[in-house]
Amino acid sequence: MFSFFRRKPKEEAPVVAAPEVAPAPASSVPPAPSAPVSVPSVPANTAPSAPVAVTAPSAPAVAEETEITPAPAPAPEQKKSWLSRLKAGLAKTSSSLTTLFVGARIDDDLYDELEAALLTADAGVEATLFLLDALKKKVKEEKLTEAEQVKAALKTLLTDLLTPLQKPLVLGKHQPMVMMIAGVNGAGKTTTIGKLAKHMQMHNQSVVLAAGDTFRAAAREQLAIWGERNGVTVIAQESGDPAAVAFDAVASAKARQTNVVMIDTAGRLPTQLHLMEELKKIRRVLGKAMDTAPHEVLLVIDGNTGQNALAQVKAFDDALQLTGLVITKLDGTAKGGVLAAIAKTRPVPVYFIGVGEQIEDLQPFNAQEFVDALLN
Ligand SMILES: Nc1nc2c(ncn2[C@@H]2O[C@H](COP(=O)(O)OP(=O)(O)O)[C@@H](O)[C@H]2O)c(=O)[nH]1
Ligand SMILES: [Mg+2]
């Protein structure tokens, strides 16, 4: 019921190491072997030939071997505390949305108040108008007469809007699986990478990190210490070109048959260079290190960013073709409506949401749970 990742069964031929097309980095690792890289060390399964359908994480497992549950699986009380933190984080929006239905008549005033509440919750104009229109239609069609019924109808509409964003991250599809993690400074990239690395290790995935945010020595050191403590190789370069660091990390993963490469990136540059150009370069170089890479390009967003979050999704998606989002800090003063804005305007899947700094605070996004926390 609470699966963290979905693992793709192995059906393709072993991935062949791409020819070395070095962007002239000072390589800190041995070059990738020219022989085909052997099949990943993840347990082989009785590979069905079709890719596993990517379904909602809450759906029952189709086959044991394709579904991975986090180890340790969140105990019921842990899950409860996670949900209560999400609820607490969204409490302000929740109470403003909920109270307007209490004892209300279904009239223009109610719709006006709802419009204001949705806009205040960062849902944005497009999603707000969409929800209001759909709600009015539903109220008419279903001849709803009680405010409670209207609230329930809104819940259904919101869940329907957000459900397409729900998508598990699939492991084991590529060897190595190369993930690039982007986002503005302070969004939670490095923290998220740390949490993901631990979750992946629990699924027997070996991980290498590329310290692509190379500009701050302190950040580099912090990552190195973290890596040492957690048995994760961290590839870094002093004064290095982040694209070269990323390239080295993929080469290292190929040589050592590491399952997952995560590339941390900068959120701001100390130079005149344009951040997006820098990130695009990293993306291009990853493609040189491995034909199919990057396999995932994640944007980490601080849930408190408000409407600017949508602007970030658009800008990073235009530059990098995002495959997924991670929304952090929903335990703070986040209003939550921005997910509706994203769903309506730029529906990039939301792989995970974070409600705190502990490893178990990062969990897969589930539309139903989220709406339950927002509108109870
Ligand atoms: N409350 C809360 N804090 C978080 C969460 N995720 C990250 N942080 C904190 O946000 C700050 C910035 O995170 P960091 O990973 O360094 O951001 P980066 O600049 O994008 O790498 C750190 O103090 C983190 O502990 C979250 O889900 N909830
Ligand atoms: Mg960082």
Side-chain angles (χ1 to χ4, degrees):
M1 122 99 169
F2 204 49
S3 68
F4 207 83
F5 302 111
R6 191 173 287 268
R7 182 181 289 168
K8 171 130 179 340
K10 225 65 57 315
E11 80 275 10
E12 296 124 322
V15 178
V16 176
E20 290 275 287
V21 190
S27 195
S28 59
V29 292
S34 54
V37 170
S38 70
V39 203
S41 62
V42 292
N45 49 50
T46 47
S49 58
V52 170
V54 177
T55 53
S58 57
V62 218
E64 282 274 303
E65 64 268 32
T66 61
E67 186 90 21
I68 300 172
T69 25
E77 63 276 11
Q78 217 178 359
K79 177 74 195 286
K80 219 170 119 195
S81 104
W82 187 82
L83 280 177
S84 68
R85 244 165 311 149
L86 179 63
K87 247 180 210 164
L90 301 174
K92 215 167 155 207
T93 300
S94 170
S95 87
S96 78
L97 281 176
T98 309
T99 48
L100 66 88
F101 288 105
V102 178
R105 277 215 312 263
I106 305 172
D107 55 16
D108 284 348
D109 281 353
L110 177 66
Y111 290 123
D112 286 349
E113 279 177 42
L114 181 56
E115 181 174 348
L118 287 170
L119 288 172
T120 307
D122 296 329
V125 175
E126 208 178 327
T128 297
L129 294 183
F130 167 81
L131 285 168
L132 277 175
D133 269 5
L135 187 63
K136 286 177 189 168
K137 211 178 278 169
K138 211 168 159 68
V139 166
K140 217 171 173 183
E141 277 170 12
E142 298 177 12
K143 300 190 172 60
L144 307 181
T145 53
E146 305 296 322
E148 270 306 306
Q149 294 174 315
V150 181
K151 190 175 106 180
L154 176 64
K155 252 182 118 161
T156 306
L157 289 169
L158 197 54
T159 309
D160 290 348
L161 178 64
L162 296 184
T163 299
L165 296 184
Q166 189 178 308
K167 188 181 168 191
L169 186 63
V170 180
L171 297 178
K173 220 162 135 184
H174 302 276
Q175 172 57 41
M177 169 174 169
V178 178
M179 302 172 65
M180 178 174 170
I181 291 88
V184 303
N185 253 18
K189 293 180 295 297
T190 308
T191 314
T192 297
I193 288 171
K195 291 175 187 167
L196 282 178
K198 284 195 180 173
H199 280 293
M200 285 170 172
Q201 285 178 323
M202 289 171 191
H203 293 142
N204 299 317
Q205 302 282 296
S206 49
V207 177
V208 59
L209 296 189
D213 188 356
T214 49
F215 298 103
R216 286 180 305 145
R220 228 176 21 236
E221 267 156 38
Q222 190 189 353
L223 205 59
I225 293 166
W226 180 89
E228 225 162 84
R229 238 185 251 145
N230 293 280
V232 170
T233 310
V234 177
I235 308 276
Q237 269 183 15
E238 263 176 59
S239 77
D241 167 8
V245 176
F247 185 93
D248 283 356
V250 175
S252 162
K254 283 158 82 176
R256 299 176 197 182
Q257 296 172 27
T258 311
N259 299 125
V260 182
V261 184
M262 284 195 273
I263 295 127
D264 196 6
T265 62
R268 164 160 62 73
L269 300 182
T271 62
Q272 292 303 313
L273 260 179
H274 199 288
L275 176 65
M276 290 303 173
E277 292 311 314
E278 179 78 53
L279 293 173
K280 281 191 205 166
K281 181 179 165 196
I282 297 175
R283 198 186 197 291
R284 274 198 309 274
V285 168
L286 286 172
K288 289 184 182 162
M290 181 177 178
D291 273 356
T292 51
H295 307 108
E296 298 287 350
V297 183
L298 305 192
L299 176 67
V300 178
I301 303 170
D302 179 338
N304 299 286
T305 332
Q307 275 294 291
N308 189 248
L310 184 58
Q312 287 175 21
V313 175
K314 285 181 182 167
F316 281 85
D317 190 33
D318 287 344
L320 300 173
Q321 297 84 53
L322 300 174
T323 61
L325 304 177
V326 177
I327 303 186
T328 63
K329 308 189 199 183
L330 288 171
D331 53 321
T333 56
K335 294 171 178 169
V338 73
L339 273 97
I342 292 169
K344 194 72 200 101
T345 312
R346 192 61 74 98
V348 179
V350 177
Y351 284 140
F352 303 102
I353 60 178
V355 298
E357 306 184 57
Q358 303 302 310
I359 168 174
E360 65 276 3
D361 291 338
L362 189 73
Q363 293 291 344
F365 170 66
N366 178 292
Q368 186 70 61
E369 274 173 14
F370 190 82
V371 174
D372 281 346
L374 205 59
L375 258 177
N376 45 21

